[in-house]
Amino acid sequence: MKIHHVACLEDNYSYLIIDESTKEAAVVDPVEPEKVLKAAQEHGVDIKLVLTTHHHWDHAGGNEKIKQLVPVIKVYGGSIDNVKGCTNKVENGDKISLGADVHILCLHTPCHTKGHISYYVTSKEGEDPAVFTGDTLFIAGCGKFFEGTAEQMHQSLCVTLASLPKPTRVYCGHEYTVKNLQFAQTVEPDNAKIKQKLSWAQQQREAGLPTVPSTIEEEMETNPFIRADLPELQERVGCKTAVEALREIRQRKDNWRG
């Protein structure tokens, strides 16, 4: 399995997931279909399916166009998310195959939108899995609670995604990492891992390189929203439970002008 970033719009990422033995590919959130098809051509692969994380235009807005450009393509999206151009609705636990060796598990991760799906992707033994988290989990951040509650985001982040194997690579929907880590420092000023990762992320961006992927393990060390489960972090933000802490940190982030 090979994964390639395709930078779109101002700060979005689409991704090509390639099954190397068959040269078949899936694309995550192809908001700019021409760009994605050009990347597929460069890598010599055929796009067979679209994995849409959620209905927002900057993720699902290219679905109708890619269907015109690749008439036989299948477009997957959350069953309750009203995804534009969707041909195959998916729910938590649904499985999709790509080529010979790539297996995709759909995880319902609601809150940012009520039908948001994250896609957990595995391949041959010995290869680290990957998860495409759209706007639920960002590197060192999470999406705004547009259509859900702190309880739902806690379930999505701290239960569903945090239970994936630690080496799982995290590919999110936007390049927000530097700002997210700057905010994370305001929550945990003594966290050395946050400081180190911020320095690395700034160097990546100055070199014009992406900061994705992260890993589930790194997120558990540096992401205040996933770390809301930790009693010491709850205490730091003046809360008694993980859900309260998550709500408090999200409110602080919404009001933060860093």
Side-chain angles (χ1 to χ4, degrees):
M1 170 170 75
K2 277 255 186 344
I3 297 166
H4 295 284
H5 313 71
V6 183
C8 294
L9 308 176
E10 269 181 40
D11 54 31
N12 278 70
Y13 285 124
S14 297
Y15 298 100
L16 274 180
I17 307 166
I18 299 168
D19 175 66
E20 290 177 275
S21 58
T22 60
K23 294 291 186 194
E24 291 186 0
V27 60
V28 180
D29 293 347
V31 63
E32 294 192 73
E34 289 89 351
K35 262 191 189 178
V36 167
L37 289 170
K38 186 168 180 272
Q41 217 172 357
E42 284 166 6
H43 295 290
V45 299
D46 288 323
I47 297 178
K48 296 291 186 188
L49 42 114
V50 169
L51 304 173
T52 313
T53 59
H54 63 295
H55 69 79
H56 290 159
W57 77 270
D58 60 325
H59 296 263
N63 287 356
E64 295 290 8
K65 184 74 196 257
I66 205 166
K67 281 165 77 178
Q68 290 169 13
L69 298 169
V70 187
V72 294
I73 204 162
K74 287 179 178 171
V75 178
Y76 292 86
S79 62
I80 56 169
D81 219 44
N82 196 22
V83 167
K84 260 211 172 90
C86 184
T87 61
N88 293 65
K89 291 183 174 183
V90 294
E91 299 190 18
N92 191 58
D94 285 354
K95 292 175 179 170
I96 305 162
S97 289
L98 171 69
D101 299 309
V102 176
H103 306 284
I104 301 158
L105 175 65
C106 303
L107 302 173
H108 184 215
T109 51
C111 182
H112 184 70
T113 67
K114 66 178 185 285
H116 193 296
I117 299 287
S118 296
Y119 297 94
Y120 176 64
V121 185
T122 54
S123 189
K124 289 178 179 167
E125 220 174 298
E127 281 191 60
D128 286 335
V131 66
F132 295 84
T133 56
D135 288 4
T136 293
L137 171 64
F138 293 123
I139 298 181
C142 75
K144 290 187 176 179
F145 301 179
F146 286 135
E147 297 180 18
T149 63
E151 284 81 2
Q152 283 180 313
M153 189 57 95
H154 177 261
Q155 180 73 25
S156 293
L157 292 181
C158 304
V159 180
T160 304
L161 294 172
S163 66
L164 297 176
K166 284 184 173 177
T168 303
R169 294 167 285 167
V170 175
Y171 292 90
C172 57
H174 292 268
E175 182 57 71
Y176 290 163
T177 307
V178 169
K179 281 268 183 249
N180 284 348
L181 286 162
Q182 286 169 340
F183 171 75
Q185 277 195 316
T186 70
V187 181
E188 291 190 278
D190 304 327
N191 184 327
K193 292 267 168 68
I194 292 174
K195 194 177 176 183
Q196 287 164 6
K197 185 143 187 184
L198 174 57
S199 169
W200 171 83
Q202 286 167 328
Q203 286 170 356
Q204 288 289 103
R205 297 310 293 148
E206 281 160 20
L209 297 169
T211 61
V212 286
S214 177
T215 64
I216 291 294
E217 184 168 29
E218 282 180 45
E219 292 312 298
M220 293 175 92
E221 293 170 344
T222 57
N223 187 323
F225 297 96
I226 281 195
R227 290 169 64 78
D229 258 1
L230 300 175
E232 60 268 31
L233 193 133
Q234 293 163 24
E235 198 180 321
R236 186 176 270 286
V237 296
C239 295
K240 294 265 192 300
T241 68
V243 170
E244 277 176 35
L246 192 55
R247 188 183 290 116
E248 170 64 23
I249 297 165
R250 184 66 254 176
Q251 281 171 350
R252 288 187 187 187
K253 179 75 169 30
D254 290 343
N255 297 323
W256 182 68
R257 296 287 170 263

